Amino acid sequence: MTPRWQKMLKEYTEAIVIAFILAMIIRAFFVQAFKIPSGSMLETLQIGDHLLVSKLIYGVKVPFTDIEVVEFSQPERGDVIVFEYPVNPSQDFIKRVIGLPGDTVEIRNKDVYVNGKKLDEPYVQHTDSRILESVRDNMAPRTVPENEYFVMGDNRDESHDSRFWGFVDRHKIEGKAWVIYWSWRGVSNIRWNRIGDIVR
């Protein structure tokens, strides 16, 4: 007769294994947790915000690859997306989609123009009143290649984005930021009012 402790150990082990497998399936196909480590998306996203990222919204990929087997939709201008940082694919970045494939993006004195029209961007903040001649504030027109996207942070003067390192490949996009499930800067600074906010 099998001792009771062995039966309990087997049951707990099975439960843990099943829970792990389910968690991996959910992470691979449905949602992924993401923490905001920097201020490049202020004020939209705060340092210490914890997000759920919808991985299913754009399509279904073979887990741990860039191979998309089913496509549901394409990223749209204004979407806040998580993607593999092109300079270092081991890092995930989060930015806002500004330019779609085929768009021409230009920056004049901090204002962004897409296909010759100035974008209305109520989510943007500027922390530096200076106008620089660098691509941060003035960028010559760039046409977005097929299957690629031009992305920028909402905290424009303090964001390292497509102005500096180029475009994001469609296959490197992991999902769209969905909802804030936790937000804090430490035990004494929990931002209860942000929990449950939809990312826009």
Side-chain angles (χ1 to χ4, degrees):
M1 183 176 178
T2 306
R4 185 179 177 192
W5 69 268
Q6 287 187 352
K7 287 183 179 179
M8 290 182 64
L9 180 62
K10 181 183 177 184
E11 289 172 2
Y12 280 121
T13 302
E14 288 175 351
I16 290 170
V17 170
I18 291 170
F20 176 78
I21 292 171
L22 287 174
M24 293 302 292
I25 291 172
I26 290 170
R27 186 183 185 279
F29 293 106
F30 298 101
V31 294
Q32 179 177 342
F34 183 82
K35 178 184 176 182
I36 302 300
S38 72
S40 71
M41 285 295 291
L42 289 168
E43 289 288 313
T44 305
L45 297 172
Q46 306 287 318
I47 298 171
D49 280 350
H50 291 65
L51 316 176
L52 291 179
V53 175
S54 172
K55 303 193 76 170
L56 201 59
I57 190 165
Y58 299 132
V60 177
K61 290 182 179 180
V62 177
F64 311 111
T65 74
D66 295 331
I67 301 170
E68 193 166 68
V69 291
V70 179
E71 181 183 289
F72 295 138
S73 66
Q74 294 291 338
E76 298 179 359
R77 184 175 296 108
D79 285 0
V80 177
I81 60 170
V82 172
F83 55 93
E84 292 180 15
Y85 177 33
V87 178
N88 180 3
S90 67
Q91 283 185 277
D92 288 335
F93 264 30
I94 184 166
K95 305 291 178 188
R96 189 180 297 274
V97 174
I98 299 298
L100 306 176
D103 283 345
T104 298
V105 181
E106 181 182 3
I107 301 171
R108 306 176 205 157
N109 297 331
K110 295 184 187 279
D111 293 327
V112 178
Y113 293 78
V114 175
N115 301 325
K117 295 182 179 180
K118 181 180 173 182
L119 285 188
D120 178 24
E121 299 187 286
Y123 42 78
V124 165
Q125 79 164 12
H126 292 284
T127 57
D128 184 357
S129 59
R130 297 175 299 162
I131 301 291
L132 305 182
E133 290 305 313
S134 72
V135 293
R136 189 193 79 169
D137 299 337
N138 284 280
M139 186 187 79
R142 296 183 191 174
T143 299
V144 184
E146 185 179 358
N147 293 320
E148 298 196 12
Y149 294 82
F150 188 94
V151 300
M152 298 175 75
D154 291 353
N155 190 11
R156 286 291 156 80
D157 299 332
E158 300 180 44
S159 174
H160 190 56
D161 50 39
S162 286
R163 292 171 289 182
F164 303 96
W165 43 253
F167 306 104
V168 176
D169 188 288
R170 168 69 178 85
H171 300 297
K172 302 299 182 181
I173 296 175
E174 297 176 14
K176 179 181 177 182
W178 173 31
V179 64
I180 298 169
Y181 70 88
W182 184 248
S183 181
W184 69 346
R185 286 300 296 267
V187 177
S188 62
N189 186 10
I190 299 173
R191 297 180 289 235
W192 298 103
N193 62 313
R194 294 184 64 76
I195 297 173
D197 281 359
I198 301 298
V199 180
R200 294 184 175 85

